[in-house]
């Protein structure tokens, strides 16, 4: 019986000792994920004067000929050696630009508008993107 009492006493001492032992919490590890900076593909131009001027690109049929459009400060625009598109008006909203054109065909003329996102590179190259297709024009 003395052995049972000794074992029981040792067990109680061990439990008491374990409960009195100073316990520390596991350190809290804060997970941080690196922040990704996404460069804007289309910078916002605050002053439409950057867009005003003559913008041309090589003609698809003859690269030695330039065609394009002229954007004027009053919101009107005109075609440069482009017989198919007779540009009439333009407007800028945020990072988009909308052109209004008179499509000249054999039977009729219809007015259409097209909206593009735009980017100006080095004040000399205008990139217009619509439906995943980008066209580049150079400022004269």
């Amino acid at each position: 019986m003395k052995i049972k009492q000794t074992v029981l006493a040792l067990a109680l001492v061990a439990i008491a000792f374990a409960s009195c032992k100073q316990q520390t919490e596991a350190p809290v590890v804060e997970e941080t994920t690196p922040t990704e900076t996404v460069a804007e593909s289309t910078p916002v131009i605050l002053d439409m004067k950057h867009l005003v001027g003559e913008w041309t690109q090589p003609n698809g049929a003859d690269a030695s000929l330039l065609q394009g459009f002229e954007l004027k400060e009053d919101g009107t625009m005109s075609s440069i050696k482009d017989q198919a598109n007779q540009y009439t008006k333009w407007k800028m909203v945020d990072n988009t630009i909308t052109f209004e054109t008179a499509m000249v065909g054999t039977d009729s003329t219809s007015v259409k508008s097209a909206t593009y996102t735009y980017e100006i590179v080095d004040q000399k190259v205008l990139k217009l993107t619509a439906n995943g297709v980008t066209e580049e024009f150079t400022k004269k």
Side-chain angles (χ1 to χ4, degrees):
M1 178 119 109
K2 269 212 179 248
I3 295 178
K4 283 185 182 181
Q5 288 177 342
T6 305
V7 171
L8 185 59
L10 286 175
L12 289 174
V13 170
I15 292 171
F17 181 71
S19 66
C20 292
K21 184 180 172 186
Q22 183 180 8
Q23 296 179 356
T24 59
E25 292 183 16
V28 176
V29 177
E30 292 183 26
E31 286 189 34
T32 58
T33 56
T35 56
E36 295 180 24
T37 52
V38 178
E40 288 186 28
S41 61
T42 310
V44 176
I45 295 177
L46 301 175
D47 186 359
M48 73 179 224
K49 289 183 181 181
H50 289 94
L51 291 169
V52 171
E54 293 183 8
W55 298 93
T56 59
Q57 68 179 175
N59 180 301
D62 184 355
S64 66
L65 299 175
L66 297 178
Q67 67 182 24
F69 49 85
E70 179 182 6
L71 302 177
K72 300 174 185 175
E73 284 189 59
D74 65 358
T76 61
M77 65 186 296
S78 59
S79 299
I80 299 174
K81 297 183 182 175
D82 186 351
Q83 300 303 318
N85 294 309
Q86 297 301 314
Y87 296 104
T88 57
K89 297 178 185 176
W90 72 284
K91 69 179 176 178
M92 179 182 82
V93 177
D94 296 327
N95 67 332
T96 64
I97 186 168
T98 301
F99 294 161
E100 187 175 287
T101 59
M103 303 296 287
V104 179
T106 56
D107 296 332
S108 65
T109 300
S110 62
V111 175
K112 293 187 179 183
S113 66
T115 301
Y116 305 90
T117 57
Y118 67 88
E119 177 181 1
I120 293 183
V121 180
D122 296 330
Q123 303 294 326
K124 295 188 180 218
V125 175
L126 174 63
K127 293 182 179 183
L128 299 177
T129 304
N131 300 321
V133 177
T134 300
E135 290 190 58
E136 290 187 14
F137 295 85
T138 303
K139 193 169 192 177
K140 281 181 130 184

